[in-house]
Every structure is written in C-alpha cells, then in structure tokens.
Amino acid sequence: MLKARTRTRSAAVRSIKVVTFGSAALVEGALGSAAALAQAPAFYPTAPGSHDIAAGDFNRDGFPDLAVGSSTGAITILTNDGHGGFADARTLNTGGGDYMAIGDLDGDRDADIVSALGTAVRVMLNDGTGQFGGSLEYSASAMIHGVALGDVNHDGVPDLVLSEFAGNIWKYEIMLNDGHGAFLSVATGEYDTLDPQPADWSAVTGDFDGDGDVDAAMMQQAYGTGGNYHAVHVHLLINGGDGRQWTRDTQVFDQGDFADPPQHLVAGDFDGDGDLDLMYNDGGGYGGYNVMLRHLANDGHGEFSTSFLWSPTLDNYTRGVALSDYDGDGGIDSVAVVNIGSAQRQCAVYLLRRPGQYVLFRDTEHGRADALILPELNGDGLRDVVTVVSYPAAGVLVSLNAYVPPRPVLVQSPLQRGQATTFTVSGAQPGERVHLLYSLAGTDMSVGLSVLGGVSIDLTRPFLAFAAATADGSGEAQVVRIIPPQAPPGAILATQAVIRRGPGGADSVKTNFITAPIQP
C-alpha cells in the first residue's frame, strides 16, 4: 500500500537558513584565477537535438567515454582517447533518448546504456568492446521526465526509477532488473495536484533516510500558498527494503513566482555531514531570467530544508547543475552551466565553492546549454566538465580540469592478474599512516566520512581497504599487492589513498583517484 505525507517548508512554518553567494562575478580566492582552474573547452559535434549526456567506460580502457542522447532518437557515442579528447564518434539510431543513465545492467562489468524518450525506455547492452546490439524496449505508464538507476532490492544489479507526468498527474514508476538487463514494472504511484507542471531531469536515487536501502527523490512545480507557481514539490520515495513497497513523503518549498519548472535534481553530501542532500535549479522567474540554484539540506532522516541559494546576474538562465569534488579537497562543490542573455546563445560554467564562486569558462560560439556532467576524463584524478549545447550546432563542450591541488599524489604500476602491483603515495608527512582503498564499482561522490572529519572520497561503495603503510622520512609510502589470479580480466579497479589527520580526523586529506583495467 502506498502511504503519503505532505509537508510544507516556508518561513512561516519552519526556520530556514539561507546563505546567498551574490552576483556572478569572478571571485579570486585560494584557488587563484579562472585560467588556473579549467582549460578552454573543446567542441565535439553530436546528433541534432542533443539533450542529455552520461559517461561510462564502454571499452574497458580505464577512461570514461560519452553517450549523448537526442530528442530525434539518435545516441552519439564519443570514445575517449585517454587524454580527454573525443575524435572518434559514431551514432546509434536506437530511438532514444531525452534522458540517459549508464550502469552495468546485466552483471558482466560492462557499461550499458538506458535511455528514455516519450513513454519508451530502451536498454542497450554493451558487448565489452563498446559495441551495442539491438535495444530492448519497455513502455512506461506515462511521459518520462527523468531516469535514475539504483539497486533498490539488494540483488547486486541496478534497477530503474522513472519520474513521469500525464495530464495533471505526477507519477513515479519502479522497474526491477532481472539481473540480465530485462526490467519489470513492480510499483507505480501518482499524486494529483492543481495544475502541476513536470520538471525535467527530475529523478535521483540514494539512501536519504539512512537505513541502508536505496530510496528515490523527484520533484515537480505546483501552486504554492501564495498562488501562481510559487512552490516546488519534492517527493521523497522511501524504500520498504524490497523495492516493491514505497512510502511517499511530499515536502513543499514555497519560493516566489517563477515561470518555468525547476530542473536537474541532483543528490550529494554538499555539507559534509554524512547524509545525502538535494540540489536543483529553479525555473526562470517572471520579469527576467534571474534563476537560482537551491540546496536542500538533509537532517539525516529524509527531512529537508533550504540551506542556501545562488543566483547569477539578471538575464541569465541556469540549465544544469552537478555535484562533485572539483578541486580535490574532500568537500563537495557545485558546478552550474548558465545560458547568457534572452537569446541564450552563449553559456558560462561556474564553480560554486564556499566561500566563493569562480568562472570556469565562458563560451560565445556554442551557446544554449542543456545539461552538464563531471566525469574524470584524462587520468589525473580530478573531475572535468562536459556540457551539452545545441546552438548553432549540437555538440558537447569538454573542459579539462587544470587545477593542481596541494595534496598527496598516488601513482601505481599496471594491474595484472597474479602479478605484484606497486602503489606509491608521495607528499605525506613523515611517519603518517597512509590507507589505500579500492573499489570495483567505479568512482562517485561518497557521503562525508566522520572518521575522516567529513572528507568525501571518490570511490563508489562498497569500497575496501587494500592496506596501510607508514610514510618514510621523505613523505613517501608504498604498498605492494598481488592482484589475485582469479580477478576478472577487464574489470576496472578504482583506487585512492587517504590520510587521517587532526583531532577527530578534522584535517584529513585524500589523494587523486585512479581507474585502470585488470590485465589478463
């Protein structure tokens, strides 16, 4: 049975802490100038109507490739050359998709693609070399406005969560994976409001209430207490544990008149307190395009409140936001892409990092951005920026991270089954214990780890400890490990080292992360 609760967040019913970043001017600070933060973007053409983007290592070389979905039904595959360049492109005419997600859908450790267009869901399985066969197609119960993957029933394979809209009805749908990339719809629900509006890119997954299950969150625009479109309804779907029983908790955030629905709901531990927060960009306000990013802080039990707002200058339109540790300091940053001017034929990308904001790049040739992601493209262990643009031609802008953070550095020798691999960390303090971690699930933002004073490492859970070593007098620590002979060949191993420093780990640091394939 579906249970639902609706709660309103407003200044009248709950104290809200709001911190604003102010106008979007370049701020100089500890990170230095914009030129030191990002390289000028390179442009790579994609299929007309390009709309969404996702990253995955399709050919198992340790470097993420790109899949760009199009409203025309084509998907452009851009293959990474190992240095963050994408000269090799091909088009899959699969009938998808406006919304994209990538994950290992059939348990063979390859990056597969799921896309959505209209009411159709298409699954494209990877053969391990970056080639995709015919797509599997499923029909959703309504028009899809967001897709997300997450293992909602604890069987080790990702399931599918859909945000949908039909008429005046917001809907959700849960599709369970059979372990081979085939999906079955097992749960749906709807919430009828007065003239709601759908929000694009409006589904995310994560453990929002801290019970160990993968939950989901979605959002829509609706009338608030002040009339007109004053409110964003955030629908938190709490998992009963088996992926079939869900409790819906609707939380309403009144925020003033705006003309267009909010977009790009994302999750991450922005405040470093060990739980997943939410962030989205508001729709364009009446009388101008002064659009804000809104961060909703989680209390650890799935209760959210507005933590801060950010707004660029007037006549700008925020078209996407992503959360990641861009500068490598262990805290989660926001990166936002903004379309400039009423014609929206230019775009700029901002790094929001307390206490400042920085312009990563501004592009005057390929404006009208639609979305952005933050993969690590060139093996330096720092997140780069990829932005989808559609004017004057469809394509992606790729800007490599140029910042050199003051932190210890991890290097490693090749990974080969049955052979010893040497992991070396330099830049530690003599006598410090350096802990080497690894994951076979890839890289992602973790929640802040209390044992490390809230530092968020970059390995996807479950991550495990390889070993620890003590830094010598030069600040170098070394770990040698034999890669098990039974390790799966071609599997991507992600590694990172952390050093616990200060009382309670308050000064802990992490190294860069490395992803590399295990050789036979």
Side-chain angles (χ1 to χ4, degrees):
M1 177 181 295
L2 177 69
K3 300 179 180 179
R5 295 175 293 169
T6 300
R7 286 172 289 186
T8 300
R9 303 289 189 271
S10 69
V13 298
R14 182 170 180 169
S15 175
I16 297 178
K17 178 184 178 183
V18 177
V19 179
T20 59
F21 277 103
S23 63
L26 174 64
V27 177
E28 301 291 346
L31 291 183
S33 67
L37 298 178
Q39 294 182 5
F43 176 76
Y44 300 95
T46 56
S50 292
H51 187 251
D52 197 12
I53 187 170
D57 185 2
F58 298 133
N59 57 2
R60 291 187 175 184
D61 64 353
F63 298 96
D65 309 301
L66 303 176
V68 185
S70 166
S71 59
T72 65
I75 293 178
T76 303
I77 302 296
L78 297 169
T79 302
N80 193 336
D81 64 6
H83 304 284
F86 297 90
D88 183 14
R90 67 186 191 276
T91 301
L92 306 178
N93 293 303
T94 62
D98 268 347
Y99 305 99
M100 308 276 297
I102 290 177
D104 177 12
L105 303 180
D106 54 0
D108 62 358
R109 298 189 182 278
D110 299 325
D112 307 306
I113 300 173
V114 59
S115 69
L117 181 64
T119 60
V121 177
R122 290 176 174 83
V123 174
M124 288 146 281
L125 299 179
N126 187 351
D127 69 357
T129 67
Q131 302 298 316
F132 298 88
S135 61
L136 307 174
E137 183 171 329
Y138 305 92
S139 181
S141 62
M143 189 74 68
I144 299 167
H145 286 268
V147 301
L149 293 173
D151 183 8
V152 302
N153 59 352
H154 300 280
D155 65 353
V157 292
D159 307 297
L160 186 61
V161 175
L162 302 175
S163 175
E164 303 170 351
F165 190 76
N168 286 339
I169 300 176
W170 166 86
K171 306 184 72 172
Y172 73 86
E173 186 166 3
I174 311 297
M175 291 186 174
L176 294 185
N177 189 341
D178 70 351
H180 304 285
F183 289 87
L184 176 67
S185 179
V186 298
T188 60
E190 60 184 42
Y191 181 46
D192 197 355
T193 64
L194 177 62
D195 193 22
Q197 294 291 315
D200 291 332
W201 296 279
S202 55
V204 293
T205 54
D207 181 10
F208 295 109
D209 60 354
D211 66 354
D213 299 324
V214 174
D215 309 307
M218 301 176 185
M219 66 178 178
Q220 68 174 106
Q221 178 191 41
Y223 285 121
T225 56
N228 294 329
Y229 288 126
H230 275 213
V232 168
H233 288 190
V234 174
H235 305 287
L236 193 66
L237 305 178
I238 299 300
N239 189 350
D242 62 357
R244 295 174 180 267
Q245 303 295 322
W246 299 81
T247 300
R248 190 190 72 241
D249 179 15
T250 297
Q251 301 178 29
V252 182
F253 296 88
D254 279 346
Q255 57 188 37
D257 249 1
F258 54 97
D260 297 310
Q263 297 176 327
H264 295 282
L265 184 67
V266 294
D269 184 11
F270 191 81
D271 49 16
D273 63 354
D275 50 53
L276 286 176
D277 309 310
L278 295 172
M279 180 174 282
Y280 62 90
N281 53 275
D282 294 353
Y286 286 109
Y289 290 91
N290 192 21
V291 183
M292 295 180 291
L293 297 182
R294 191 172 296 265
H295 170 238
L296 305 178
N298 190 348
D299 69 354
H301 305 285
E303 292 279 345
F304 292 90
S305 59
T306 300
S307 174
F308 76 80
L309 310 174
W310 173 81
S311 177
T313 55
L314 287 173
D315 209 18
N316 287 263
Y317 194 103
T318 309
R319 284 295 296 173
V321 60
L323 296 176
S324 194
D325 182 8
Y326 185 87
D327 57 12
D329 67 350
I332 302 301
D333 311 306
S334 299
V335 177
V337 61
V338 172
N339 288 337
I340 301 170
S342 58
Q344 298 180 36
R345 295 180 178 179
Q346 300 179 32
C347 67
V349 173
Y350 294 87
L351 168 67
L352 310 181
R353 178 185 183 272
R354 299 186 185 189
Q357 59 189 345
Y358 307 83
V359 179
L360 294 181
F361 69 82
R362 178 166 177 158
D363 186 271
T364 60
E365 299 180 15
H366 310 96
R368 193 167 180 82
D370 284 312
L372 86 162
I373 56 174
L374 302 174
E376 196 282 287
L377 298 176
N378 60 349
D380 64 357
L382 287 170
R383 298 290 176 175
D384 306 299
V385 178
V386 182
T387 305
V388 179
V389 293
S390 57
Y391 178 89
V396 295
L397 295 172
V398 176
S399 175
L400 299 180
N401 193 331
Y403 180 57
V404 180
R407 62 177 180 176
V409 175
L410 169 68
V411 297
Q412 67 187 40
S413 59
L415 307 170
Q416 188 169 356
R417 293 196 301 172
Q419 301 296 317
T421 297
T422 301
F423 303 88
T424 303
V425 173
S426 58
Q429 298 173 9
E432 283 188 320
R433 293 290 285 173
V434 178
H435 301 268
L436 183 66
L437 308 178
Y438 75 95
S439 172
L440 285 168
T443 63
D444 200 357
M445 301 174 301
S446 73
V447 296
L449 302 178
S450 59
V451 69
L452 298 177
V455 168
S456 174
I457 67 172
D458 298 283
L459 306 184
T460 301
R461 293 179 181 273
F463 48 80
L464 302 171
F466 251 149
T470 301
D472 61 19
S474 68
E476 184 175 283
Q478 195 170 88
V479 171
V480 179
R481 281 293 177 267
I482 294 177
I483 304 301
Q486 67 272 23
I492 303 298
L493 185 72
T495 55
Q496 188 167 38
V498 295
I499 303 172
R500 190 174 186 272
R501 289 177 179 169
D507 301 318
S508 298
V509 296
K510 64 180 182 181
T511 67
N512 55 297
F513 60 89
I514 298 175
T515 58
I518 298 175
Q519 305 295 336

